[in-house]
Amino acid sequence: MKKIINSNYFYAFIALCCALWLFFYVSSPGVGSTRDSNQSNTSTVTKKTTISVPLQLQADVDKYYITGYPETVKITIEGPSALVTATKNTQNFNLYLNLKDLSVGQHRVQIKESGLNSELTYSIKPKYVTVNIQHRETKKFDVDVDYNQDSLATGYETGKVEVSPETVTVTGAATEIEKIAKVIVKPILPKGIKSTFDQEVLVQALDKNGKTVNVTLDPQTVHVKIPISIQSKQVSINLKQKGTSSSTTSNLSVTSDVKTIRVYGTQDQIDAIDSSVDVPVDVSDVNGNTKKSINLSDALGNKVAFTDPDTIDVSISTGSSSSSSSNNSSNSNNTSTNTTNSSTSDNNTSSSNDNSTDDNSEQ
């Protein structure tokens, strides 16, 4: 046995067994080729994704105006993960409508694709669309401005409205262009606005019923400037008594330290006012010297929008102090007269007594 183990044939046999074992180990499925297996699994993984893609037209758009189709459509693609990802990122394919051989009118057309990899499957939503093909027409229109005058603060007016540009180009189906009654902008003025309105405003094409017409406007917005201001004038004031005082009115007077005011209003209101205005002062409740605060807007009514100052202080004098002095002087004179009369009466009495004494002596 020892002789067999030490022989060269024994070692050769052992080496052969080891070689065979290594061969079968390496060749076994799932062993020794993990990397290649992972690569193979990766390449066979599928993925699905949905993309929004612009819809293109194959038609003579210079001659025809086409409506009814969506600007974008959704396409769902499915296939190898890496290919789906690359397609989503690059979007190197097209979705289109072939309208070249279609006449004027409505048509139901299938959306088609080009440039999509053949390894991918896809579905388009919507699959069909209805388009309206009409002869194309382009026309220029002046832009009108329509705004609410009631939004202006009291007394304020608008000047000449400026629109830039003053005209816009309208493109659409000939039948739609014929429906246009006017092209306008409708600026929305804040309630009580007192300063110039200056903004970009959306342009609209309207039919005779005020409904929007389906056309393309260029430009879609215009610049609108509406000057807003109020007129004013410096005038003097004339204080006028109103009503009858319970006091003697012959000596009643009304005065104020304010001699002139500035009045504000529309151009028509300012033009209707002279260089002076009458301010009524109610004296019906006056019993003596007093002061009043007069609200000029109330006093002038709808003649103006407002004034500066808005109120003035007036002094009302009834002349009661001088009347009291006259009464006191009269009373003094009456007292003096009475005293004199009394003195005269006393003298007369004394004289009578003296005469009586003399008569008695003679007897």
Side-chain angles (χ1 to χ4, degrees), residues 14 32 37 40 50 73 141 184 195 205 213 222-223 246 278 322 324 326 333 344 354 359:
I14 296 299
S37 177
S40 177
T50 300
V73 292
F141 286 84
I184 67 170
S195 58
V213 181
V222 295
H223 192 88
S246 58
D278 293 338
S322 60
S324 298
S326 298
N333 291 335
T344 304
D354 290 340
D359 290 341

Side-chain angles (χ1 to χ4, degrees), residues 131-310:
V131 297
N132 186 13
I133 303 175
Q134 297 292 332
H135 288 291
R136 187 184 188 91
E137 185 175 339
T138 299
K139 192 174 181 180
K140 287 186 177 293
F141 286 84
D142 292 333
V143 180
D144 296 330
V145 181
D146 182 14
Y147 60 92
N148 186 6
Q149 287 274 3
D150 293 338
S151 296
L152 302 180
T154 303
Y156 283 78
E157 294 179 305
T158 59
K160 183 179 179 181
V161 180
E162 299 177 16
V163 181
S164 179
E166 296 180 348
T167 61
V168 295
T169 302
V170 182
T171 303
T175 54
E176 292 296 304
I177 296 293
E178 292 174 359
K179 294 179 184 178
I180 298 176
K182 58 183 176 180
V183 174
I184 67 170
V185 288
K186 294 183 177 182
I188 300 176
L189 276 58
K191 190 67 176 177
I193 185 171
K194 296 180 179 180
S195 58
T196 297
F197 178 90
D198 194 354
Q199 286 185 14
E200 290 284 327
V201 185
L202 184 70
V203 184
Q204 302 178 68
L206 304 180
D207 63 14
K208 62 181 181 180
N209 297 319
K211 295 182 178 179
T212 303
V213 181
N214 186 18
V215 291
T216 301
L217 298 150
D218 183 28
Q220 295 182 350
T221 62
V222 295
H223 192 88
V224 178
K225 184 177 181 180
I226 306 176
I228 298 174
S229 61
I230 192 168
Q231 305 301 316
S232 68
K233 179 192 285 188
Q234 190 87 7
V235 296
S236 59
I237 60 174
N238 303 319
L239 300 177
K240 298 292 185 179
Q241 298 179 23
K242 175 183 177 182
T244 303
S245 173
S246 58
S247 301
T248 303
T249 58
S250 59
N251 296 325
L252 189 142
S253 64
V254 182
T255 59
S256 175
D257 292 336
V258 178
K259 304 303 180 184
T260 61
I261 61 172
R262 181 165 289 275
V263 293
Y264 294 82
T266 64
Q267 187 65 59
D268 290 342
Q269 287 177 322
I270 297 302
D271 290 342
I273 293 178
D274 295 328
S275 58
S276 64
V277 292
D278 293 338
V279 177
V281 179
D282 188 3
V283 298
S284 59
D285 59 347
V286 174
N287 296 317
N289 295 341
T290 187
K291 286 187 177 181
K292 279 191 172 185
S293 179
I294 305 299
N295 186 306
L296 294 176
S297 295
D298 292 342
L300 298 177
N302 58 3
K303 292 181 179 179
V304 297
F306 58 91
T307 63
D308 182 23
D310 55 354

Side-chain angles (χ1 to χ4, degrees), residues 53-59 69-73 75 93-100 109-116 122 124 126-129 131:
V53 181
L55 182 60
Q56 300 179 1
L57 299 180
Q58 292 184 357
Y69 63 93
E71 292 185 0
T72 61
V73 292
I75 180 171
F93 64 95
N94 298 317
L95 298 181
Y96 66 93
L97 294 173
N98 186 0
L99 309 176
K100 291 181 179 178
V109 187
Q110 182 180 1
I111 298 175
K112 297 181 179 181
E113 68 80 25
S114 65
L116 202 61
Y122 66 89
I124 300 172
K127 189 175 182 179
Y128 291 88
V129 294
V131 297

Side-chain angles (χ1 to χ4, degrees), residues 48-51 74-78 121-125:
K48 180 189 288 187
T49 189
T50 300
I51 313 170
K74 291 183 178 181
I75 180 171
T76 301
I77 57 176
E78 184 175 4
T121 60
Y122 66 89
S123 62
I124 300 172
K125 188 176 183 181

Side-chain angles (χ1 to χ4, degrees), residues 331-344:
N331 291 335
S332 297
N333 291 335
N334 290 336
T335 301
S336 177
T337 302
N338 291 336
T339 303
T340 303
N341 291 336
S342 175
S343 176
T344 304

